[in-house]
Amino acid sequence: MSEALPSLGFIGLGLMGQPICKRLLDAGFQLNIWNRTPAKAEKLATYGAQQVSSPAEVVKSSEIIGLCVTDTASVQHLLNQPDGLLEALQPGQLIVDFSSIAPLATRQFAEEARKRGADWVDAPVSGGVQGAKLGQLAIMCGGSSSSLDRLQGVFSPLARQVTRVGEVGSGQVAKIGNQMLVSCNALVIAEMLALAEASGIEVEQLPAAFAGGFADSLPLQILAPRMAAKDYANPKWTVKTLLKDLQLAADLARQNNQATPMSHLAAQLMQMQATQGRLEEDPATLVELYRQTPQPGKNK
């Protein structure tokens, strides 16, 4: 006879939270959900999730509570708001945070959970909406080995790989590193494509031309076709998310007295994109930073 699945709670039903929850439901988990915007929970309720009235109610009905929200302030609010997580948290419960937030704050949140006899794992993800839909996420974890063992069954329908990189907060450090690489890569792809376009080649052929070579990457294969076609509709991730994570990188660098000049420049360029009203748009729009740059002699 198979072991019963733990009851799960989940808070945060945005672009990533929705497909994560759908896969957990398809895997047979009992899922108790809450979202700041209740309408986002209604679709999952039709798949069998139980919609509850507050974060505290999620905790009261769940052994393991998953979070996937926008930023550090959002997690802090969930913990401390009236009917929040901390007031209902009980010994033996486990919070797993899929959000991408500050490592230092993560360690503070985990300490508050431990005071109530509960544990915390930070488990930010990479792979985007498509990776979440297909169960092909990469999850980088910070927390105790025993807590990660408890989460094996939860992670199984979500991820192609799960890596413990250290104690609580370590997963967030790893995710910041991931986003530094993704952000700088996205900007170089945009710069390269705009230069190739200005030089008159068929830029829509570049993803195929680079495939399998040293320049190939998932960001290249996702972004370059959209950049070439100026196809910015239906974004699955945003400039805002990358800029937020680069700001986390800058904070972490200051805390550790480290220089991160490439990521600093990437943040400046993305801030330029924000001033043009494109903060909520797809990172493919970053190519327009270079398309709009006047070439020497052309404006004379």
Side-chain angles (χ1 to χ4, degrees), residues 134-197:
L134 297 176
Q136 293 292 303
L137 294 172
I139 305 181
M140 46 215 86
C141 296
S144 68
S145 296
S146 59
S147 287
L148 262 70
D149 287 343
R150 284 181 67 184
L151 290 168
Q152 281 187 3
V154 176
F155 289 155
S156 180
L158 305 179
R160 59 178 172 80
Q161 67 186 46
V162 178
T163 307
R164 180 181 180 271
V165 293
E167 296 300 326
V168 170
S170 301
Q172 299 297 352
V173 174
K175 179 60 186 288
I176 288 170
N178 183 90
Q179 296 301 84
M180 290 167 71
L181 291 170
V182 169
S183 300
C184 292
N185 196 1
L187 283 158
V188 172
I189 292 165
E191 180 179 311
M192 174 278 301
L193 191 134
L195 175 61
E197 187 176 69

Side-chain angles (χ1 to χ4, degrees), residues 99-265:
S99 316
S100 297
I101 66 170
L104 181 59
T106 291
R107 296 184 182 110
Q108 294 167 346
F109 299 154
E111 183 58 32
E112 290 299 316
R114 289 192 198 101
K115 289 177 183 177
R116 291 157 176 80
D119 207 356
W120 189 288
V121 168
D122 50 306
V125 303
S126 183
V129 173
Q130 190 67 7
K133 287 180 177 178
L134 297 176
Q136 293 292 303
L137 294 172
I139 305 181
M140 46 215 86
C141 296
S144 68
S145 296
S146 59
S147 287
L148 262 70
D149 287 343
R150 284 181 67 184
L151 290 168
Q152 281 187 3
V154 176
F155 289 155
S156 180
L158 305 179
R160 59 178 172 80
Q161 67 186 46
V162 178
T163 307
R164 180 181 180 271
V165 293
E167 296 300 326
V168 170
S170 301
Q172 299 297 352
V173 174
K175 179 60 186 288
I176 288 170
N178 183 90
Q179 296 301 84
M180 290 167 71
L181 291 170
V182 169
S183 300
C184 292
N185 196 1
L187 283 158
V188 172
I189 292 165
E191 180 179 311
M192 174 278 301
L193 191 134
L195 175 61
E197 187 176 69
S199 301
I201 75 168
E202 297 177 8
V203 292
E204 65 273 9
Q205 300 301 325
L206 290 176
F210 296 161
F214 278 8
D216 198 11
S217 67
L218 281 174
L220 174 75
Q221 297 300 332
I222 291 169
L223 290 173
R226 303 194 76 182
M227 290 176 176
K230 301 184 181 180
D231 174 16
Y232 309 138
N234 303 314
K236 301 301 183 184
W237 50 327
T238 65
V239 173
K240 180 179 180 179
T241 298
L242 292 178
L243 181 56
K244 181 261 294 185
D245 291 335
L246 287 172
Q247 290 166 340
L248 290 175
D251 292 341
L252 186 65
R254 281 193 295 271
Q255 291 162 14
N256 290 277
N257 196 30
Q258 290 288 310
T260 54
M262 297 297 291
S263 297
H264 181 70
L265 176 57

Side-chain angles (χ1 to χ4, degrees), residues 12 19 21 24-25 27 31 40 72 81 94 149 152 160 162 178 193 202 261:
C21 286
L24 291 171
L25 288 167
L31 196 59
K40 290 187 176 180
T72 306
Q81 70 182 72
L94 173 60
D149 287 343
Q152 281 187 3
R160 59 178 172 80
V162 178
N178 183 90
L193 191 134
E202 297 177 8

